[in-house]
Amino acid sequence: MTTQSEVNRTEQQEDLLKSLVAFTQDHRAVYWSGTLSSFLERVMTANPQGAARTSHQYMWDMIRWMGCEDESGNFRCKLFDQELFGVDEAIGRVVDYFKAAAAGSEVGRRLLLLLGPPSGGKSTLVILLKRGLEEYSRTEEGAIYAIQGCPVHESPLHLVPHSLRPRFRETYGVEITGEVCPHCRSRLEHDYSGDFLRMPVERIFISEAGRVGIGTYAPHDPTTADLADLVGSVDLSKVAQYGDEGDPRAWSWSGAVYAASRGMLEMIEILKVKREFLYLLLTLTQERNVKVSRFPLIYLDETILAHTNLAEFRKFLQESENEALLDRMVIIQVPYTLNYKDEARIYKKLISSAAPAFRQVHLDPHVLHAAAVFAIMTRLHEADDKELELGKKVRVYANEEVEGYAHAETERMRQRMPEEGLAGISPRFVINALSNAIIQNNARSLTTMDVLLALKDAIDNDARIDPKRKRKWIDYLVLARKDFYNRWVKEDVHKALFVSFEQEAQDLLDKYLDEVEAMLDNRQIKDPITNEERRPDERFLRAVEEKIHISDSGKQSFRQEVVRKAMGAYKRGEKFTLDSHAQLHNAVQQYLFEQRRDVLRLVSSSTRPDEEVRQKISVVEKRLVDEYGYDSHSAREALNYVTTLMAQE
Ligand SMILES: Nc1ncnc2c1ncn2[C@@H]1O[C@H](COP(=O)(O)OP(=O)(O)O)[C@@H](O)[C@H]1O
Ligand SMILES: [Mg+2]
């Protein structure tokens, strides 16, 4: 006999299996190979546009295939969404570049250069594009074909002779550009006697590791760097076989520009390379070809994405002959984010991919935000008199409400300070400080104060920061603590203190009303338990009223007004609650807090707390742990911290 839950489980398993099958069908890359003639018949006829895409069009298709949303002019792409935070503007520009280049704009003939401060996400952006290409090439929409065995996996359409290309345009509506590479030309003659229709064609899958469609070049030592790293060299072991150094089959096609053909070439720290490298790359983007020793020009279609940091770029600009090269690049700035909430998301991402020993350390709920606030401050232009003060600016950039400030201003504020976000502390710096704090203290739990101290240490010990800046940054740590952390932690503790706030506040309100009515009517109040009669409690009434500065001479009219409102509510059949009277609400809340505050004071008092107080404190701690993301260590620290803050007030 099977129970209902077992039936459900089998159904679930079947569902899962079905969706797994569907997934693999969606993603199963169907390999295909055949002659050029069958390629034209099958693939070309089915989707001529898809088969004739340029590298820019292919990348643009990939970005859109991953999913994009246009939120009122704010373009969001899934490819970057979960990995890059707070750099939407830069991403938007990159996306625009591909869109324009895919449409045939002149920008496609310029090299794309990402420029920004270190650890600002440039490499990550490029990596996401690379992973995107690999994944896309395994889908049906992303199917891409090449001449089999071609060292640059060139388009099979290159085999179509020029004289036939106009007919092609008429038949398929696509333009063929590009020439057969020397290697395939030689094979075509030697192995197929020029019969291009018999040349083998296959579907290829983009793979960085396999050097198909993705090439990466990082300059090592510039003095030994050889152009061969980019464009290959004669393969001496094969010269004997083919009898001629000039035979393309005796060439080693190992250069990064060949690997990148049909996809993208990543040039890491491009401005560190020799100038001859740079010329070669600029020609490659502009003319789509490279010149190698004895061969005719080799046609290559690839997108070059380069990155560099600002220091390198400024050095580059100092040489006047470099200026002309700028016209041949599309430069996109990738600054640090100025939104502390986005910055904190970066830390969270970096921590979640760190080693378990790091990941499992408990951080109090404000650690990342406080560190992020500090990091943003180091990136901002220093406030002068006319400007919004630093703390407020940080909040404005995080889209928080700031008194006396209209958000419509933000854009103008940013434009006035174009250098903001190009310098200051990187996410890496913060993460390193955090991990040092963990290692040094062998910590299981870190509080915001621990981390602010760790950041101070990191600044003190960093020889690259000059003393003046060190002092300024340490001031920023203090500011992050005072303007942000103190506010956050106080709010948590207050909320945790008011565990049963609503009921107690309502009870207080009811008591206030009873006493006021008795006072106005000049009658006694009967104690509900002892039945004893007593006079209304004037001291209590004044204690509440003083919280909102009701004077002795003004108390009478205030009380009358309260009673009038309460009567009105009563007549309408409504309950008189705190929401019915804003002023009284405020008064009751403050009165309650005063009462609870005494409990807090006892936390830090030197005398041993009695059992009752201890009980009350542990309720607050538990609340901090259960609802506000603390662990018991950081909850206790937070309580102590807020108590000392209050003692200073
Ligand atoms: N805006 C950002 N969003 C998400 N992660 C970021 C961001 N900026 C930097 N990072 C992370 O910081 C680390 C360093 O970034 P990286 O891409 O190598 O920077 P760059 O190439 O600009 O020096 C990476 O792990 C990256 O994921
Ligand atoms: Mg990098």
Side-chain angles (χ1 to χ4, degrees):
M1 216 178 85
T2 51
T3 66
Q4 188 57 40
S5 75
E6 276 171 314
V7 172
N8 286 346
R9 195 154 53 231
T10 351
E11 277 176 11
Q12 273 174 7
Q13 284 166 351
E14 274 172 19
D15 276 357
L16 175 63
L17 218 58
K18 268 187 221 152
S19 50
L20 283 177
V21 170
F23 182 87
T24 48
Q25 270 168 357
D26 283 350
H27 288 76
R28 186 164 43 212
V30 191
Y31 178 72
W32 183 93
S33 70
T35 59
L36 178 69
S37 138
S38 61
F39 170 78
L40 293 177
E41 226 168 83
R42 308 235 179 122
V43 182
M44 195 61 192
T45 313
N47 181 7
Q49 303 294 338
R53 285 179 280 189
T54 64
S55 70
H56 283 108
Q57 285 166 341
Y58 191 75
M59 297 207 45
W60 173 234
D61 284 350
M62 177 276 286
I63 291 170
R64 281 183 302 167
W65 178 84
M66 291 286 168
C68 283
E69 276 169 50
D70 195 352
E71 283 173 9
S72 56
N74 210 345
F75 217 66
R76 302 209 64 86
C77 293
K78 290 227 176 67
L79 180 60
F80 308 107
D81 242 15
Q82 297 307 309
E83 293 286 336
L84 280 174
F85 312 119
V87 285
D88 291 354
E89 209 174 303
I91 291 174
R93 296 226 167 102
V94 170
V95 171
D96 284 346
Y97 168 86
F98 282 110
K99 185 180 181 181
S105 148
E106 197 50 33
V107 297
R109 294 194 173 266
R110 287 193 261 155
L111 183 149
L112 184 64
L113 177 63
L114 302 177
L115 175 64
S119 288
K122 303 181 297 294
S123 298
T124 307
L125 202 156
V126 178
I127 288 170
L128 291 170
L129 286 167
K130 294 199 275 192
R131 296 295 92 83
L133 279 179
E134 291 178 333
E135 188 181 340
Y136 181 56
S137 76
R138 281 163 180 74
T139 67
E140 201 178 316
E141 296 86 341
I144 179 173
Y145 299 84
I147 300 178
Q148 197 169 40
C150 171
V152 299
H153 14 88
E154 67 186 310
S155 165
L157 299 178
H158 290 177
L159 290 165
V160 177
H162 277 268
S163 54
L164 294 178
R165 291 186 181 185
R167 292 255 320 268
F168 237 79
R169 185 173 26 196
E170 282 159 32
T171 316
Y172 295 111
V174 295
E175 190 81 48
I176 299 176
T177 40
E179 313 297 328
V180 183
C181 79
H183 186 272
C184 290
R185 183 169 304 286
S186 157
R187 269 172 72 211
L188 179 60
E189 275 158 30
H190 285 96
D191 304 347
Y192 298 91
S193 324
D195 184 358
F196 58 88
L197 283 175
R198 281 203 297 130
M199 279 287 273
V201 171
E202 67 177 344
R203 178 169 175 186
I204 55 170
F205 302 103
I206 291 182
S207 151
E208 182 172 23
R211 300 175 58 82
V212 178
I214 296 173
T216 305
Y217 183 84
H220 19 271
D221 182 1
T223 51
T224 58
D226 191 338
L227 218 46
D229 297 341
L230 270 183
V231 297
S233 55
V234 174
D235 183 346
L236 291 173
S237 68
K238 287 197 181 139
V239 173
Q241 189 186 341
Y242 294 105
D244 177 8
E245 278 198 10
D247 192 306
R249 291 169 299 177
W251 186 256
S252 153
W253 297 81
S254 58
V257 296
Y258 306 130
S261 165
R262 306 298 294 283
M264 61 179 271
L265 174 64
E266 176 187 17
M267 289 297 298
I268 296 167
E269 304 205 62
I270 191 173
L271 300 182
K272 284 210 177 115
V273 303
K274 289 189 202 161
R275 190 167 292 120
E276 54 175 332
F277 281 43
L278 202 53
Y279 280 121
L280 183 136
L281 293 170
L282 287 168
T283 309
L284 173 54
T285 21
Q286 192 158 10
E287 316 287 342
R288 303 229 166 86
N289 59 44
V290 289
K291 176 76 184 97
V292 179
S293 63
R294 295 159 213 207
F295 307 142
L297 292 172
I298 303 169
Y299 176 90
L300 290 172
D301 170 22
E302 62 198 57
T303 298
I304 303 186
L305 248 149
H307 39 112
T308 192
N309 63 42
L310 280 154
E312 250 357 287
F313 187 68
R314 293 200 180 109
K315 225 184 323 169
F316 178 78
L317 285 186
Q318 274 163 12
E319 291 177 46
S320 56
E321 50 207 301
N322 286 338
E323 244 169 71
L325 298 179
L326 291 181
D327 290 348
R328 295 161 73 181
M329 306 177 184
V330 172
I331 298 174
I332 296 179
Q333 288 205 344
V334 187
Y336 294 136
T337 181
L338 298 180
N339 180 332
Y340 77 85
K341 291 176 183 162
D342 285 329
E343 178 75 6
R345 288 177 77 194
I346 301 176
Y347 305 157
K348 205 163 180 182
K349 183 191 84 171
L350 290 174
I351 290 170
S352 69
S353 60
F358 190 164
R359 216 162 51 212
Q360 284 154 9
V361 173
H362 183 274
L363 302 176
D364 88 31
H366 306 300
V367 163
L368 301 186
H369 278 142
V373 162
F374 161 70
I376 305 298
M377 285 176 173
T378 67
R379 298 169 187 174
L380 294 180
H381 187 268
E382 260 179 279
D384 56 39
D385 294 344
K386 281 165 284 172
E387 250 184 279
L388 211 52
E389 58 192 83
L390 206 56
K392 283 191 177 158
K393 204 162 166 185
V394 169
R395 290 169 56 198
V396 167
Y397 281 167
N399 302 319
E400 287 178 14
E401 291 304 322
V402 171
E403 257 178 44
Y405 183 83
H407 270 276
E409 280 281 305
T410 314
E411 197 55 35
R412 243 187 316 148
M413 198 158 95
R414 302 271 313 242
Q415 274 165 8
R416 263 204 313 268
M417 308 290 169
E419 80 284 18
E420 283 186 333
L422 295 180
I425 271 174
S426 73
R428 255 275 170 259
F429 185 92
V430 172
I431 293 297
N432 288 347
L434 210 70
S435 65
N436 278 343
I438 292 172
I439 295 163
Q440 274 168 15
N441 310 332
N442 202 5
R444 317 234 53 198
S445 166
L446 284 184
T447 65
T448 301
M449 287 305 283
D450 293 334
V451 171
L452 291 178
L453 282 173
L455 283 166
K456 181 174 178 299
D457 267 355
I459 295 168
D460 280 337
N461 295 325
D462 196 326
R464 292 167 303 176
I465 311 171
D466 72 70
K468 202 171 140 223
R469 174 162 301 168
K470 278 187 184 180
R471 279 196 300 278
K472 196 161 70 191
W473 284 1
I474 288 169
D475 286 346
Y476 291 165
L477 283 172
V478 176
L479 195 59
R481 175 179 152 199
K482 286 199 171 150
D483 264 21
F484 291 80
Y485 176 59
N486 286 2
R487 188 157 42 88
W488 295 331
V489 69
K490 264 199 259 179
E491 210 174 281
D492 288 348
V493 171
H494 288 189
K495 279 192 283 186
L497 272 171
F498 295 135
V499 179
S500 53
F501 175 67
E502 276 182 41
Q503 191 51 48
E504 267 185 68
Q506 184 64 44
D507 290 349
L508 259 180
L509 179 70
D510 291 344
K511 177 172 158 64
Y512 179 85
L513 265 182
D514 285 349
E515 304 279 348
V516 161
E517 278 171 7
M519 187 66 94
L520 291 178
D521 299 350
N522 220 346
R523 61 179 160 78
Q524 300 278 90
I525 283 190
K526 198 193 262 175
D527 188 288
I529 299 168
T530 60
N531 265 338
E532 275 172 48
E533 302 237 315
R534 64 163 171 85
R535 294 189 41 73
D537 188 350
E538 173 70 9
R539 277 210 2 232
F540 165 72
L541 291 179
R542 288 309 290 149
V544 173
E545 288 158 0
E546 272 161 8
K547 294 281 169 290
I548 48 170
H549 314 292
I550 304 288
S551 67
D552 216 32
S553 56
K555 70 182 181 191
Q556 195 68 5
S557 63
F558 178 75
R559 290 174 186 177
Q560 280 164 351
E561 188 235 13
V562 170
V563 171
R564 213 169 30 247
K565 279 205 170 156
M567 292 295 287
Y570 180 75
K571 279 190 194 141
R572 290 192 301 275
E574 290 166 9
K575 196 167 160 45
F576 187 68
T577 65
L578 286 168
D579 292 336
S580 324
H581 201 293
Q583 244 186 321
L584 205 50
H585 188 161
N586 199 349
V588 166
Q589 201 165 25
Q590 287 191 41
Y591 179 86
L592 249 185
F593 186 64
E594 282 289 298
Q595 283 192 325
R596 294 303 184 88
R597 197 177 166 118
D598 294 337
V599 176
L600 261 190
R601 286 244 160 83
L602 289 167
V603 174
S604 62
S605 75
S606 51
T607 56
R608 275 242 207 93
D610 62 25
E611 195 45 46
E612 197 196 330
V613 172
R614 219 191 321 244
Q615 189 63 35
K616 282 186 179 164
I617 292 171
S618 84
V619 170
V620 177
E621 269 181 24
K622 186 169 179 326
R623 179 94 170 177
L624 284 173
V625 171
D626 292 348
E627 314 222 344
Y628 300 106
Y630 292 78
D631 66 349
S632 58
H633 166 72
S634 59
R636 210 163 312 129
E637 291 288 310
L639 273 175
N640 280 328
Y641 184 73
V642 172
T643 321
T644 33
L645 280 184
M646 282 181 4
Q648 292 161 7
E649 270 168 9

